[in-house]
Amino acid sequence: MKNRILVVEDDTAISELICMNLTVAGYDTEALFDGKEVEALLKTDREFDLALLDVMLPGKDGFELMELMKEAKIPVIYLTAKSDVGSKIKGLRSGAEDYIVKPFEVLELLVRVEKVLERTGRQISRITVGTVEINLNEHQVTRDGQEVSLKPLEYDLLVLLAKNKNMAFTREQLLNQVWGSDYLGETRTVDVHIGQLRKKLELFDVIKTIPKIGYRLED
Amino acid sequence: MKLWKKISLLTAVVLFLAMGIFGGGMLYETWKYNLNQTVSSYQQQIKVNAYVIAQEINNNPLSRFSEVTRKSFLNYTVQKYGGTDYILLKNGKEVVNLTGYMLVSGEEKRFSGSDPEYVLQKTENRHLLVMGQVLKTEKKGNLKFQLILVKDISGIYEEMAKQMWLFILVYLVVIFFAVDIVFWLVRMVLKPLTELENTAGAISRGDWQRRCRVRRNDEIGKVSVAFNRMADKMEEQMEELETVSEHRRQLLGSLTHELKTPMTSIIGYSDTLLHVKISEEQQKKALEHINSECRRLERLSGKMMTLIGLYDEDRIHKEPYPVEKLIQEVADLERYHMQDSGMELQIYSESWEYRMDVDLMESLLVNLLDNAIKASEEGSVIELHGEKGCIWVQDHGKGIPKEEIPKITEAFYMVDKSRSRKAGGIGMGLALCQKIAEIHGARLLIESTVGVGTRICVIFQEEN
């Protein structure tokens, strides 16, 4: 089962960009281009785990849509070109979970989406990668039904890669996300842990080394 | 030194000298007149006395008198007529001297005329008038008598000195008050200059609304008027400049905002291509998006350059140009575009000329036609008419909602954002048109009804 995300963005290029990346990372997306369309859609379909809203929309703007989202109990991340503090405050005060300013990096968008899903408890509890299944609630990893014991950092690393399937991470990004930004270790540490994961879970073909960039978990 | 001090001092010095010279001259003349009066009155006196004494000498047989008798006779005679002021000489020898003065020998030669001669002498602290003449004593033959008057006239000099001191006192008092008055007057006269200075200072500190109060019609008043006029003009130009820079700032603001959308796409898609495993089909799509967004940026920068260029009046060359020719040229330019979109262009023009920059006017009309094409359905008719004083473009497309009309000439404003973007619009066309119209002393009049169509008139307000 996948998380379902509503993308409301009037610029088709950006809308497609977001949907493309969310889909690749393992989410279902629904793209809308107009504020009024959202209103119409929510009357019949409210099964969204998250909404990415552009603030400046034709029809009804992002701030106006907030009420509908609250009613439908859909957490909102604003996505906007307005970078001034006033707009950010207005966005967050109105009840948005997060606020992303354009232009944004795809990875940032994915991480923020993931964090919001985590925070609002809508994150799916199981991720499968081939024969490997990760139970996020119980912190349990099984391969072919057999439990595999992983060290905490190995587990965190696996979860990060699995949640962002097909997304390449640099070693620095992995260090930052898993070990924390204040960790002063070398990027070799990442290589060692990746090696452990590959061995323990037999994911040699799945966790790929991308030359000059880093690692990527592919389906 | 300050101007008021300079003027006051100069005036004071001139006043001081003029009054001094005039007063001194007057005083001197008065003194000379007094002296002359005194001298001439004594001249009358000596003449009379000389006459009567000569008579006495002629009528008496002096040679028959004894020495003592003669002497007392002469003594008596001189005293009788002249009092104690006279000396009588006989052949250059003193015979009678009733004065307290000695006659220096040789001095008598001065007084050998038959009319009275005089000298003024100063002894110690006394001023003496010495005057003498020869007596007419024909009957006495070779005897030569001279009568000499010695008179102390110090009184005249004392009077003179008194008057001089009085004059100096009055002079100083008058000068003192006069200088005060001059200083005060000059300050009063120059006071508006101080106000002018204060006003100029205030203006240079940014208080643009400050003006001088003009109360007079003299040179300073005129300077104030001229100054105020200059300040008005400057304020006007400042405001103009501010408007222009405000306009540019807004433009820049909208531009950065407008840049962000294509940038987001370009960064996002390239990021995806670099980091994410996506299918080949998706890769192609991403590249297409990057390509089209880059083109959009290019169009945007081109339009921006044009718009900014329009603020640079040096690059605008206006010349009289026939409007019907302009319309024909624009129609030729747009013909293929219209055929592609399956629309028909109808043109009509009266024959008239207008001073214009042909390139700019062409781009204005092309812009209006492009907008009309975007708004129209396939198969509809677009009209381009040039009547005297007005060129208009009429379409029969979807129209513009009434409340949107005032906003559509703002840069980056789009009535239907997603649709305009699909058609390649960047929301700058009408802003450009507006600016071009402005340059030609024209304005845009937009009439539109939703669902019926839009007519945009370029109305030339002034014959330039």
Side-chain angles (χ1 to χ4, degrees), chain B residues 371-377 380 382 393-405 408 413-416 419-420 430 446-456:
Chain B
N371 281 345
I373 292 169
K374 276 176 213 161
S376 299
E377 301 293 321
S380 77
I382 292 169
V393 173
Q394 164 92 54
D395 66 50
H396 302 281
K398 55 203 268 183
I400 306 164
K402 209 168 189 175
E403 65 275 11
E404 309 268 3
I405 291 178
I408 60 172
Y413 191 84
M414 298 179 211
V415 177
D416 184 347
R419 196 172 181 278
S420 304
L430 277 175
I446 301 161
E447 300 164 330
S448 186
T449 316
V450 176
V452 176
T454 306
R455 175 195 289 212
I456 300 185

Side-chain angles (χ1 to χ4, degrees), chain A residues 39-85:
Chain A
E39 206 177 353
L41 178 77
L42 285 181
K43 281 182 185 146
T44 55
D45 186 359
R46 295 185 162 199
E47 299 300 311
F48 293 102
D49 297 310
L50 179 69
L52 289 172
L53 289 187
D54 187 7
V55 173
M56 289 201 293
L57 283 170
K60 276 192 157 187
D61 74 23
F63 293 132
E64 285 173 302
L65 288 176
M66 193 66 218
E67 282 307 308
L68 291 172
M69 294 299 163
K70 274 185 187 164
E71 217 181 280
K73 297 203 170 70
I74 302 172
V76 168
I77 297 180
Y78 278 125
L79 205 62
T80 173
K82 284 187 176 176
S83 59
D84 57 291
V85 180

Side-chain angles (χ1 to χ4, degrees), chain A residues 13 16-17 21 56 166 168, chain B residues 257 269 272 275 277 285 289:
Chain A
E16 268 182 50
L17 170 74
N21 280 290
M56 289 201 293
N166 297 314
Chain B
H257 182 248
Y269 279 111
T272 308
H275 293 127
K277 193 197 162 203
K285 217 173 187 178
H289 276 302

Side-chain angles (χ1 to χ4, degrees), chain B residues 53-67:
Chain B
I53 292 169
Q55 287 298 313
E56 289 286 345
I57 292 170
N58 280 338
N59 294 341
N60 288 291
L62 287 186
S63 51
R64 270 180 276 157
F65 288 180
S66 72
E67 183 75 8

Side-chain angles (χ1 to χ4, degrees), chain B residues 5-279:
Chain B
K5 279 186 181 165
K6 265 187 207 169
I7 294 179
S8 305
L9 274 180
L10 277 173
T11 316
V13 166
V14 169
L15 198 68
F16 191 77
L17 286 178
M19 268 186 74
I21 290 168
F22 175 73
M26 283 291 284
L27 212 57
Y28 176 73
E29 284 300 318
T30 312
W31 173 75
K32 229 167 89 180
Y33 176 75
N34 278 344
L35 198 66
N36 283 341
Q37 283 297 104
T38 314
V39 168
S40 71
S41 89
Y42 283 117
Q43 270 172 337
Q44 294 301 320
Q45 194 187 337
I46 200 172
K47 268 184 184 165
V48 170
N49 285 335
Y51 176 75
V52 289
I53 292 169
Q55 287 298 313
E56 289 286 345
I57 292 170
N58 280 338
N59 294 341
N60 288 291
L62 287 186
S63 51
R64 270 180 276 157
F65 288 180
S66 72
E67 183 75 8
V68 178
T69 318
R70 192 162 61 233
K71 194 161 183 166
S72 40
F73 167 73
L74 288 173
N75 228 336
Y76 168 75
T77 312
V78 170
Q79 193 166 19
K80 180 180 166 195
Y81 294 110
T84 57
D85 293 333
Y86 287 89
I87 299 172
L88 187 68
L89 301 178
K90 190 174 88 186
N91 287 345
K93 293 257 167 22
E94 223 175 67
V95 281
V96 179
N97 187 352
L98 300 170
T99 68
Y101 303 98
M102 292 282 287
L103 191 70
V104 181
S105 76
E107 276 295 293
E108 76 278 358
K109 290 190 189 90
R110 266 182 208 268
F111 311 114
S112 33
S114 54
D115 276 324
E117 303 280 333
Y118 73 90
V119 286
L120 295 168
Q121 282 189 342
K122 192 169 185 262
T123 56
E124 290 151 32
N125 48 7
R126 319 294 304 164
H127 291 269
L128 298 178
L129 171 68
V130 185
M131 191 184 276
Q133 71 170 102
V134 176
L135 297 184
K136 287 174 181 161
T137 53
E138 303 85 10
K139 288 179 181 169
K140 294 293 173 240
N142 56 347
L143 279 179
K144 183 187 170 195
F145 287 94
Q146 284 169 289
L147 186 65
I148 290 168
L149 168 75
V150 179
K151 190 74 193 173
D152 185 350
I153 52 165
S154 301
I156 297 176
Y157 284 87
E158 275 160 24
E159 189 61 28
M160 168 72 201
K162 230 199 270 170
Q163 275 190 17
M164 198 177 74
W165 283 119
L166 190 67
F167 168 73
I168 288 174
L169 188 73
V170 171
Y171 176 60
L172 287 180
V173 170
V174 167
I175 282 289
F176 177 78
F177 283 110
V179 167
D180 271 2
I181 290 169
V182 163
F183 271 48
W184 182 75
L185 277 179
V186 169
R187 284 190 83 157
M188 284 306 287
V189 167
L190 294 184
K191 209 177 163 192
L193 280 182
T194 319
E195 201 198 316
L196 202 61
E197 186 199 340
N198 290 341
T199 313
I203 289 178
S204 66
R205 279 188 300 276
D207 184 1
W208 297 100
Q209 274 76 45
R210 264 288 277 279
R211 292 291 178 273
C212 294
R213 274 167 298 155
V214 182
R215 284 159 298 190
R216 297 193 294 192
N217 202 21
D218 58 5
E219 283 87 341
I220 293 175
K222 279 178 190 159
V223 169
S224 305
V225 170
F227 180 86
N228 283 350
R229 218 179 297 134
M230 184 190 77
D232 286 345
K233 199 79 201 162
M234 256 165 53
E235 195 189 346
E236 216 173 84
Q237 291 195 341
M238 276 302 294
E239 270 166 16
E240 237 168 67
L241 268 178
E242 264 163 29
T243 326
V244 169
S245 74
E246 172 64 14
H247 199 97
R248 284 194 187 179
R249 214 178 53 75
Q250 280 176 2
L251 212 62
L252 209 64
S254 340
L255 175 70
T256 33
H257 182 248
E258 210 56 23
L259 282 176
K260 274 191 177 172
T261 315
M263 291 295 236
T264 307
S265 290
I266 294 168
I267 293 174
Y269 279 111
S270 55
D271 227 22
T272 308
L273 285 173
L274 277 173
H275 293 127
V276 185
K277 193 197 162 203
I278 47 178
S279 68

Side-chain angles (χ1 to χ4, degrees), chain A residues 151-193:
Chain A
K151 288 177 187 164
L153 284 169
E154 288 169 357
Y155 174 79
D156 287 345
L157 186 59
L158 176 68
V159 170
L160 179 66
L161 290 171
K163 273 183 183 169
N164 299 287
K165 284 177 194 167
N166 297 314
M167 177 72 53
F169 287 87
T170 64
R171 292 177 176 80
E172 283 79 15
Q173 282 170 335
L174 292 173
L175 265 181
N176 277 340
Q177 293 289 329
V178 177
W179 279 265
S181 55
D182 50 352
Y183 180 73
L184 294 171
E186 289 178 52
T187 48
R188 275 289 299 154
T189 320
V190 179
D191 298 336
V192 172
H193 282 77

